[in-house]
Amino acid sequence: MLAYARDRRRFLLFGRPRRVSPETHRHRAEVLLESLLTLGPTFIKLGQLLSTRPDVLPPEYIDVLSSLQDDVPPAGWDGAKRVLEDEIGPVDERFAAFDTDPISGASLGQVYRAQLDDDGGTRDVAVKIRRPGVEELVQADLRVIHWSLPVLLYFVDDARSFSLENLADEFSKTIREEMDYQREAEMLREIQASIGTDDRYVIPDVVDSHSGPRVLTMEYIDGTKINDVEELDRKGIDRSRIAEDLQWAYMRMIIDDGVFHADPHPGNLAVTDEGRIVFYDFGMSGRVDEFVQDKIVEFYIAVANQDIDAILDALIEIGTLSPEADRAVMAEVMELAIQDARGEDIEQYRVQQIIGQVEDSIYEFPLRLPKNLALVLRVATVVEGVCVTLDPEFDFISTATDYLVEQGYREESIRQYLSESGQQVRRSAESLTRIAPKTERALDRLDRDDLYVRIGVEDSKNVFENLAKRLIYGMLLTMGLFSTGVLYALEAPEGSIVAAVFSAVVLIQLYRSFRTQRALAARPQFTRQNLRQRRREE
């Protein structure tokens, strides 16, 4: 925290912001990564969440923390066995067979493979068991984060303060939900009821008789890890189709169903030999309200039409872009982002040019993230990484456009636009019929010298307020200096010292009124561009 604060200001408690080199940021991020790994399960989860938050951390931090995997040494079987038997009863009686070596270990729980008796035979299941004692550990860690937040907020601007407070609230809520396996089972069934009916996807069934708040037993479904491209190629599976199916699945969950699997990293996605995508681990799941769904559709349609103004309007309405942001600069950033999403090569000089424009613009950090969009951003970021791994030339915009067309969203937006345009034409025609008599009345009043004009001056940057302050400070400074001279001439040293101190205070306030506040500049990130850069470096 001290290192982050030191990087934000020239001096720790005061002073203007300073620029820190990418090398320093990367070193800080690597130190942070080691600290998170040492601190344990809760902070590993926090690091994963931070790796998807470019509104909070610089790009170098995002790049380093993105390598953080939810992979910790497994807990001993004795502790896991106690949790299992407390929930559902003796292992030997409840299972036909149970492999005590975990097949997957995570920070909050671990998964074992077992068999259940099933109509004279057996069926394979996966048993997810919460780590023993993890509840107390998480509660203690959340208290540390809660106490630390006010200290950190002192060193950040308003936009990042907004994002950090939302991040802390979201993280506390998410990690508690992830420890509740009954909620996970409920979310799994809800998603299965919609997307599971599509034969391109597989979602395992829950075994209710062997599940509880700390234990979740599911159907075991084998598959190839989705980022194991060599094995997928060996099995003759079309990776481009898998990437397209994955994006369609998440667009359907978020836009149509309003409930979605929110942890799509490669460890939670697999592909069967038939080419169907398997979803695992629904502990991190989310919901989207209708307003956000509508705005996401508007955003995608604007991207499909490459309408930059509409994209910025959608971002402002949804609350992720400040209305005061420099639209010209943000428009150029969006153009580059669209190029990157289409898989097109971006000239490096243009990227540097845009970064320079952003750094030279004196405006508050324009991007922020409301609570209801945090998990959606996480999904978008991680899914993009998976799709690019499957197919480096994957065109996100083309796939999104096809989805919008097939589901009728784009046509509906065109009909809505035509309807609104028709209403606007009708209103314009009605206005034209009223203009002539109003114009005649105004001319009559002007002829009688009975016309008054009221003017209101909009001062969004407080120019008049600052000017008034400077005038007052200037007069007070003049009065103070004059009083200092007079009192000194009258041999009243105490009075002259008081007047001099008063003058010094006023001088400092006058100086501060002329200073320009600078905020940390935003550096745009391009996932595919970064991937190409890393490949060239390798």
Side-chain angles (χ1 to χ4, degrees):
M1 287 174 58
L2 287 172
Y4 180 76
R6 179 69 184 88
D7 288 347
R8 294 300 311 280
R9 295 189 176 186
R10 193 164 298 281
F11 302 100
L12 188 58
L13 297 177
F14 55 88
R16 297 176 63 184
R18 68 169 184 164
R19 290 186 181 177
V20 180
S21 68
E23 292 75 19
T24 302
H25 274 316
R26 183 167 291 277
H27 171 70
R28 301 282 201 216
E30 289 169 353
V31 172
L32 175 61
L33 177 63
E34 292 300 320
S35 299
L36 294 172
L37 290 170
T38 304
L39 286 167
T42 310
F43 288 89
I44 290 174
K45 283 287 181 187
L46 179 60
Q48 288 179 316
L49 193 58
L50 285 170
S51 71
T52 64
R53 298 297 296 262
D55 59 324
V56 174
L57 292 177
E60 292 77 20
Y61 280 78
I62 302 297
D63 191 39
V64 171
L65 293 181
S66 63
S67 65
L68 187 63
Q69 296 296 315
D70 193 8
D71 188 13
V72 295
W77 165 243
D78 291 340
K81 182 180 179 182
R82 283 196 299 273
V83 173
L84 179 61
E85 293 189 335
D86 285 345
E87 286 293 319
I88 64 172
V91 176
D92 295 338
E93 295 178 12
R94 301 288 285 164
F95 295 91
F98 200 102
D99 185 354
T100 58
D101 293 326
I103 58 174
S104 173
S107 54
L108 302 179
Q110 46 201 27
V111 182
Y112 298 84
R113 189 169 179 178
Q115 289 183 330
L116 295 177
D117 292 322
D118 185 28
D119 295 332
T122 60
R123 62 168 170 160
D124 291 335
V125 294
V127 184
K128 185 177 180 181
I129 305 174
R130 189 194 296 173
R131 279 178 172 266
V134 74
E135 301 95 327
E136 294 78 10
L137 179 61
V138 167
Q139 290 298 332
D141 289 342
L142 288 176
R143 283 196 295 272
V144 171
I145 294 170
H146 177 72
W147 294 337
S148 304
L149 186 63
V151 180
L152 189 59
L153 292 180
Y154 177 80
F155 298 101
V156 299
D157 52 41
D158 290 341
R160 276 194 174 81
S161 175
F162 173 86
S163 291
L164 279 171
E165 289 180 292
N166 281 348
L167 173 65
D169 292 342
E170 171 214 346
F171 177 67
S172 177
K173 175 175 176 287
T174 300
I175 199 167
R176 286 191 175 98
E177 289 178 346
E178 198 167 348
M179 289 192 296
D180 183 357
Y181 289 173
Q182 286 182 321
R183 177 189 178 275
E184 179 175 348
E186 178 186 337
M187 298 296 284
L188 186 154
R189 291 192 194 93
E190 194 170 341
I191 296 172
Q192 185 185 50
S194 56
I195 197 171
T197 57
D198 191 324
D199 60 8
R200 292 175 294 179
Y201 313 107
V202 183
I203 296 177
D205 293 323
V206 176
V207 182
D208 291 319
S209 60
H210 289 66
S211 300
R214 295 184 295 169
V215 175
L216 179 61
T217 302
M218 300 163 286
E219 172 190 11
Y220 178 81
I221 302 173
D222 199 10
T224 303
K225 198 172 180 180
I226 199 166
N227 65 343
D228 188 350
V229 294
E230 293 181 0
E231 183 65 14
L232 293 175
D233 289 341
R234 190 185 68 80
K235 291 183 176 181
I237 295 173
D238 185 350
R239 290 190 277 120
S240 297
R241 184 184 61 80
I242 296 297
E244 181 178 323
D245 289 347
L246 183 65
Q247 187 183 357
W248 274 58
Y250 278 95
M251 292 191 71
R252 176 175 172 179
M253 283 188 277
I254 293 171
I255 295 176
D256 291 340
D257 303 331
V259 57
F260 60 96
H261 175 260
D263 197 14
H265 69 76
N268 289 337
L269 298 169
V271 181
T272 66
D273 292 345
E274 297 79 26
R276 304 171 72 192
I277 299 175
V278 186
F279 295 86
Y280 304 121
D281 193 353
F282 290 79
M284 190 178 291
S285 302
R287 297 184 186 277
V288 186
D289 59 51
E290 289 186 11
F291 173 78
V292 174
Q293 286 178 300
D294 292 341
K295 294 305 170 186
I296 290 175
V297 169
E298 289 179 16
F299 173 78
Y300 273 120
I301 290 172
V303 170
N305 296 334
Q306 298 192 40
D307 186 342
I308 302 298
D309 285 333
I311 292 174
L312 296 179
D313 290 340
L315 292 176
I316 289 171
E317 288 179 29
I318 208 170
T320 59
L321 182 64
S322 169
E324 286 77 31
D326 187 323
R327 289 182 70 99
V329 174
M330 294 307 298
E332 294 194 62
V333 172
M334 290 301 163
E335 286 179 5
L336 288 185
I338 289 175
Q339 276 185 259
D340 180 65
R342 286 197 175 279
E344 301 173 8
D345 288 326
I346 301 173
E347 301 87 345
Q348 193 61 34
Y349 81 89
R350 193 176 175 211
V351 174
Q352 295 301 325
Q353 183 184 36
I354 299 300
I355 290 174
Q357 284 182 292
V358 173
E359 288 182 341
D360 292 339
S361 298
I362 303 174
Y363 66 100
E364 289 188 357
F365 192 80
L367 297 175
R368 53 196 182 187
L369 201 58
K371 293 178 186 177
N372 56 357
L373 280 179
L375 283 179
V376 174
L377 176 67
R378 172 184 171 81
V379 165
T381 304
V382 180
V383 167
E384 179 184 5
V386 173
C387 289
V388 168
T389 301
L390 288 167
D391 180 7
E393 304 305 321
F394 185 68
D395 189 338
F396 290 89
I397 295 178
S398 176
T399 304
T401 303
D402 291 343
Y403 180 87
L404 294 171
V405 170
E406 183 168 312
Q407 301 300 315
Y409 288 111
R410 202 174 187 186
E411 286 73 10
E412 180 61 30
S413 70
I414 293 172
R415 283 194 294 270
Q416 185 177 354
Y417 173 77
L418 292 175
S419 174
E420 291 175 354
S421 298
Q423 292 175 5
Q424 184 66 35
V425 169
R426 189 183 68 252
R427 286 194 295 268
S428 298
E430 292 173 354
S431 299
L432 285 173
T433 62
R434 293 193 294 267
I435 286 176
K438 286 185 176 181
T439 302
E440 185 176 1
R441 286 196 298 270
L443 291 173
D444 288 341
R445 293 185 63 185
L446 182 62
D447 187 51
R448 297 194 303 267
D449 293 331
D450 189 27
L451 187 65
Y452 299 91
V453 178
R454 288 194 297 269
I455 299 175
V457 179
E458 194 172 306
D459 185 19
S460 60
K461 296 185 178 179
N462 299 321
V463 174
F464 290 111
E465 181 182 344
N466 290 332
L467 181 60
K469 284 182 180 179
R470 291 167 189 170
L471 286 172
I472 293 171
Y473 288 146
M475 289 188 289
L476 290 174
L477 180 61
T478 303
M479 182 186 71
L481 293 174
F482 179 76
S483 300
T484 302
V486 170
L487 290 170
Y488 182 78
L490 294 175
E491 297 183 353
E494 294 85 357
S496 63
I497 290 173
V498 172
V501 171
F502 174 78
S503 301
V505 171
V506 173
L507 180 62
I508 290 172
Q509 293 297 325
L510 181 61
Y511 168 73
R512 291 181 62 184
S513 72
F514 281 95
R515 288 181 59 192
T516 302
Q517 297 294 326
R518 295 182 64 90
L520 184 67
R523 283 179 174 269
Q525 298 183 123
F526 307 102
T527 303
R528 197 191 301 265
Q529 190 78 359
N530 291 343
L531 178 66
R532 293 199 189 100
Q533 182 65 29
R534 285 197 291 270
R535 285 178 176 172
R536 283 196 291 268
E537 290 172 357
E538 291 171 359

